[in-house]
Amino acid sequence: MSDLARIAQQHDAEDPLAGRRALFVLDDGVYLDGNSLGALPRSVPGRVEDVVRRQWGALKIRSWDESGWWTAPERIGDRIAPLVGAAAGQIVVGDSTSVNVLKALVGAVRLVDDARDEIVVDATTFPTDGYIAESAARLTGRTLRPVRPAEVPAALSERTAAVLLNHVDYRTGRLHDLPSLTAAVHAAGAIAVWDLCHSAGALPVGLDEHGVDLAVGCTYKYLNGGPGSPAYLYVRSGLQDRFDSPLPGWNSHAEPFGMREAYEPAAGALRGRVGTPDILSMLALEAALEVWDGVSIDAVRTKSLALTDFFLECVRAYVPEGRVESLTPVRHEERGSQVALRCSPDAGDVMKRLIGRGVVGDFRRPDVLRFGFTPLYVGFADAERAARVLAEELR
Ligand SMILES: Cc1ncc(COP(=O)(O)O)c(C=O)c1O
């Protein structure tokens, strides 16, 4: 056994989160793709079976009330809230991240005066945010200005209406400075909208503490909600009364069963709802969130950084010099929970071979190998094995 393999064993033996692994369905491979689709928590299949057979099959329509279906978007939002540093009553679950980006961004622009004629968007964003921002700009008659996150403070002015940023870059794993960027956006009198897809469940976000205005995120990555599980929308409590959703469906009406002709928005976070919630996915997510009971997000962050540090150390030790280049920042303050390695010209083939050997990461065009570290179920021996297999494939 190598020195690094021995060190890995010791870290795993001392890991306070090691016991959480048993809460997931895992095989004997190494799963480093939880930044794309989180692993299945053991509690989910039984819950889904109960929702389908008893709540739907037996109780039928009664379940909207008796099984708490109608209030699930707010209830599950409150379950996610502590994981992203939000007090209760500010998050609703539902729709996709893309749809929530539209609600948040158009809602943000409607909070400021018409003289603010620019929307700033992260120029390195995951594509969907860019596409939706472009449409939000057309819908609101604003100009879209793509800016790299580091250049956002210099780009802000009295013309800025809203700024849409990704907390962690999906390609490189770079963590952007949410507190200082939010403060800069506010100093310019604009509204800050954050996409938390790659940070929620991986590191502390501090939405309330840092005064974020609106935020969105998915639940199928580090929150393990399952394929296509519903996303969420955060609207800071101080803005909820003025939040004017571009998708004011009947679920966000003050009196949804009043069947009124005129729209009157509900109070609070549920103003962000649209139509009938996707109950099967939503309640699978609710069961999945039980893995967080008693877990502190700070402990998750500590382990995440230790795992990515250790993986990078193993890559340096094992992989032939010059074969890969890390795109992931070395500084902890700038790192999310994934390691991205540039591997030219054969990253796609290399990832196929890794997956064939039980080490599952993913490939992002043109030449990036991504390895996501989900501290609730990935250990140090996994990190060592992944680097060892990678080195064998690259030799
Ligand atoms: C930063 C970011 N935003 C949005 C999405 C996807 O949004 P949706 O849930 O609408 O598919 C992803 C998916 O990986 C993402 O990484």
Side-chain angles (χ1 to χ4, degrees):
M1 186 186 278
S2 72
D3 286 351
L4 286 168
R6 247 188 300 277
I7 292 170
Q9 267 188 356
Q10 194 180 333
H11 285 334
D12 281 333
E14 292 163 358
D15 171 16
L17 294 175
R20 297 275 147 177
R21 189 181 176 104
L23 301 177
F24 292 86
V25 176
L26 295 164
D27 55 24
D28 56 8
V30 179
Y31 190 64
L32 301 180
D33 214 3
N35 54 336
S36 204
L37 176 68
L40 171 66
R42 286 191 187 281
S43 58
V44 172
R47 182 71 54 82
V48 170
E49 165 124 28
D50 179 61
V51 172
V52 172
R53 291 194 187 283
R54 186 182 59 84
Q55 297 185 9
W56 177 17
L59 295 177
K60 297 188 268 302
I61 195 82
R62 289 166 56 189
S63 273
W64 281 107
D65 253 348
E66 293 176 27
S67 304
W69 288 358
W70 186 259
T71 50
E74 301 87 79
R75 180 177 73 245
I76 302 170
D78 283 347
R79 183 67 195 82
I80 292 171
L83 300 174
V84 290
Q90 301 176 101
I91 294 182
V92 276
V93 173
D95 311 310
S96 63
T97 313
S98 306
V99 171
N100 283 299
V101 168
L102 183 82
K103 292 181 221 169
L105 205 48
V106 172
V109 173
R110 289 177 176 177
L111 288 166
V112 299
D113 67 57
D114 290 345
R116 293 184 174 270
D117 63 353
E118 278 183 0
I119 296 175
V120 171
V121 65
D122 183 341
T124 59
T125 183
F126 184 84
T128 205
D129 298 44
Y131 307 152
I132 300 275
E134 206 270 326
S135 178
R138 276 190 286 134
L139 283 168
T140 57
R142 265 47 177 204
T143 304
L144 186 67
R145 192 166 167 200
V147 177
R148 300 180 74 81
E151 286 143 25
V152 163
L156 299 167
S157 72
E158 69 286 348
R159 292 183 58 184
T160 316
V163 181
L164 171 63
L165 290 161
N166 286 192
H167 196 190
V168 172
D169 183 289
Y170 77 100
R171 227 187 259 106
T172 61
R174 176 177 291 275
L175 171 66
H176 297 301
D177 187 344
L178 178 144
S180 81
L181 287 167
T182 302
V185 172
H186 287 165
I191 302 288
V193 184
W194 285 91
D195 179 332
L196 309 179
C197 281
H198 285 271
S199 59
L203 50 97
V205 177
L207 288 178
D208 288 353
E209 181 187 349
H210 304 302
V212 168
D213 300 304
L214 296 127
V216 302
C218 70
T219 61
Y220 45 74
K221 300 182 192 290
Y222 296 97
L223 299 178
N224 315 301
S229 57
Y232 56 89
L233 171 70
Y234 164 91
V235 182
R236 173 161 71 78
S237 57
L239 295 178
Q240 287 172 351
D241 286 352
R242 294 195 295 132
F243 177 66
D244 180 5
S245 171
L247 295 171
W250 73 292
N251 272 232
S252 67
H253 196 282
E255 210 192 326
F257 292 95
M259 302 295 156
R260 300 199 190 291
E261 200 179 313
Y263 180 70
E264 187 195 327
L270 63 85
R271 193 175 282 203
R273 286 177 63 160
V274 184
T276 306
D278 183 349
I279 291 298
L280 299 185
S281 285
M282 204 170 280
L283 299 190
L285 166 65
E286 187 170 36
L289 290 169
E290 288 170 10
V291 300
W292 295 96
D293 289 347
V295 172
S296 103
I297 199 74
D298 290 325
V300 167
R301 176 63 168 162
T302 302
K303 180 173 171 189
S304 154
L305 288 171
L307 277 171
T308 49
D309 274 344
F310 184 66
F311 178 68
L312 286 167
E313 184 185 345
C314 294
V315 168
R316 274 193 303 274
Y318 295 159
V319 173
E321 182 82 30
R323 196 61 179 79
V324 295
E325 177 203 348
S326 175
L327 302 175
T328 300
V330 175
R331 294 180 59 220
H332 285 177
E333 310 83 78
E334 296 177 353
R335 192 189 306 163
S337 200
Q338 79 177 41
V339 171
L341 302 176
R342 176 172 286 145
C343 176
S344 281
D346 52 350
D349 281 345
V350 170
M351 185 49 75
K352 273 192 203 131
R353 297 206 299 275
L354 289 182
I355 292 170
R357 294 189 58 188
V359 174
V360 180
D362 62 24
F363 161 62
R364 285 291 174 268
R365 282 179 204 289
D367 56 3
V368 177
L369 302 172
R370 289 197 321 173
F371 300 96
F373 289 84
T374 43
L376 294 191
Y377 56 81
V378 172
F380 293 85
D382 295 324
E384 191 272 340
R385 182 172 148 201
R388 189 160 27 87
V389 173
L390 173 66
E392 286 163 13
E393 291 302 324
L394 291 178
R395 235 172 241 138

